[in-house]
Amino acid sequence: MKQNTKTVAIAERLKQVLIESSPLIEEYTAAVCPDCSAVCCKQKHGVLPEKDIRYLRAVGIEMPPRDETRPLEGPCELMGLQGCVHPRWMRPFRCTWYFCGPLLAALNEGPQKKTRHLTAVLREMVSLYGGLSEE
């Protein structure tokens, strides 16, 4: 299937922003997530919405089908011992922009310059994601 040129350009930039931002986000998730007792990485969140599929196709990735037998409220099938087995740029978009209460608290309590930078990066991600066109 031929991809829309604008969609491909936006998707490639989004991929780059996701790659560049991953260490910023993981600095916080590495501190907060290992001690979590209510893990938010559930199977239902790994189901890709159409816009995520459009993004992945635009960067040349076809995701394998999900395990339909897994309970949607159970742990995500992509959850490994160190978190998600996929790099951030291949994860469902909701997995990147979701910040639980403890994660938000860590952001608020940390260096504000770093928080402002991450906030700006997240805004760019949301803007790019919103710009993925219908095919």
Side-chain angles (χ1 to χ4, degrees), residues 69-82:
T69 64
R70 292 180 69 98
L72 292 176
E73 290 300 324
C76 180
E77 69 186 87
L78 300 176
M79 198 59 184
L81 294 176
Q82 301 294 315

Side-chain angles (χ1 to χ4, degrees), residues 14 25 29-30 36 45-46 50 57 61 74 84 90 99 118 121:
L14 179 56
I25 296 169
T29 58
C36 184
H45 300 305
E50 186 57 40
R57 284 185 179 147
I61 301 292
C84 186
M90 286 179 65
F99 286 78
L118 182 54
V121 169

